Amino acid sequence: MAMAIKRKKADTDLGTMILRNMAAVMEREREKRGLTKKELVELCEITAPYYFRILDATANPSLQVISRISTNMKIPLQELMMGIKDSKS
């Protein structure tokens, strides 16, 4: 009997921390830019359900997805993942 392979959520402390930071930065930037959640998911090229999984720290984004969000939002990867703003920006 074949079972469907389901990606499990990031359950490491680091994975959870990164997701919580991503959620905080994405929400901060969304509000700062006056974007709706729908506009943000379109900008980041992700689905709304996936965005909500980032917000509740149950998503398991690939580096490709994280990079796309960083690039499309023009937020440095370090800031997006760690919540640390570069002092130069």
Side-chain angles (χ1 to χ4, degrees):
M1 193 181 334
M3 292 180 63
I5 297 173
K6 186 177 178 190
R7 290 183 83 176
K8 67 183 198 120
K9 72 179 188 81
D11 57 1
T12 62
D13 290 341
L14 179 61
T16 302
M17 182 191 76
I18 288 171
L19 279 171
R20 295 206 189 292
N21 286 331
M22 282 180 61
V25 170
M26 290 172 77
E27 276 295 280
R28 179 192 75 210
E29 289 297 315
R30 182 183 70 78
E31 290 172 6
K32 190 163 87 175
R33 299 173 191 197
L35 298 173
T36 65
K37 286 180 168 61
K38 184 177 191 290
E39 290 167 333
L40 182 73
V41 300
E42 288 171 359
L43 173 67
C44 295
E45 299 176 58
I46 58 176
T47 64
Y50 196 78
Y51 178 60
F52 290 110
R53 287 179 48 215
I54 290 173
L55 293 181
D56 69 12
T58 59
N60 189 8
S62 65
L63 188 54
Q64 181 180 6
V65 169
I66 295 169
S67 293
R68 186 173 62 230
I69 292 169
S70 169
T71 300
N72 291 4
M73 292 189 75
K74 295 178 177 51
I75 297 171
L77 263 177
Q78 177 184 0
E79 181 181 343
L80 181 63
M81 295 174 67
M82 306 308 284
I84 302 167
K85 269 197 162 187
D86 187 338
S87 59
K88 291 176 273 196
S89 54

